[in-house]
Amino acid sequence: MSKNTLIPTTPDAASYAAEAPRPPIPDVDVPFDLIEVWLKEARESELNDPNAMALATVDPSGMPDVRMVLLKDVSPAGFTFYTHSTSAKGQHLAATAKAALCFHWKSQRRQLRVRGGIHAVPSETADAYFKTRARQSQLGAVASDQSAPL
């Protein structure tokens, strides 16, 4: 194995022992209650984008594809994020209606993985969200050819 000095070494047993003990995961009746607690903790400790999550989809040839998106809402109904329907992810989701998500909160040394079926939000909901975006973001979304090479 090569020695790549850019990749940090794996922590040793002493490094783990030096950390403060982690509290046990609370026993909850509704998993979304725990997710809300973890998101709140991430908002308090993550430097940037505590709502960032990796979204994995599958392309028409069966190859996985992953990219970062931002969580916009969470409830027992599911996890909400927005994308343009003509983007690669939008096309993948329309074709398979399945996805996987992974949150990684480095400051918490915690991750959450989710997978399952998906469905589009009503167009009125998507339109209402779009109106809340900064004008520059709106212009960029309208002017760009989603997922196409420049």
Side-chain angles (χ1 to χ4, degrees):
M1 188 163 77
S2 69
K3 271 287 198 198
N4 187 327
T5 58
L6 298 176
I7 298 173
T9 60
T10 302
D12 59 13
S15 297
Y16 285 115
E19 290 183 9
R22 294 182 60 177
I25 295 173
D27 187 19
V28 295
D29 293 329
V30 180
F32 283 92
D33 292 345
L34 179 58
I35 292 166
E36 288 184 11
V37 168
W38 284 0
L39 282 166
K40 180 180 180 292
E41 290 174 357
R43 276 194 307 273
E44 295 167 358
S45 65
E46 289 296 315
L47 188 58
N48 294 304
D49 300 326
N51 59 327
M53 57 187 187
L55 168 68
T57 59
V58 178
D59 74 12
S61 70
M63 290 298 293
D65 202 355
V66 67
R67 79 288 280 154
M68 301 304 291
V69 299
L70 296 176
L71 176 72
K72 295 300 180 180
D73 192 23
V74 63
S75 74
F79 298 81
T80 302
F81 63 93
Y82 293 93
T83 188
H84 197 285
S85 62
T86 64
S87 69
K89 63 184 162 293
Q91 292 176 31
H92 296 174
L93 293 168
T96 63
K98 294 178 184 172
L101 307 172
C102 183
F103 294 87
H104 177 236
W105 298 297
K106 186 174 182 177
S107 65
Q108 300 291 321
R109 295 193 186 270
R110 178 180 289 150
Q111 73 173 357
L112 169 67
R113 297 182 314 139
V114 180
R115 64 185 187 158
I118 62 99
H119 66 272
V121 298
S123 58
E124 299 80 22
T125 303
D127 291 345
Y129 163 72
F130 188 80
K131 289 176 184 174
T132 69
R133 296 178 69 185
R135 184 73 176 146
Q136 295 90 332
S137 295
Q138 290 176 351
L139 293 172
V142 170
S144 68
D145 190 6
Q146 296 288 308
S147 300
L150 295 174

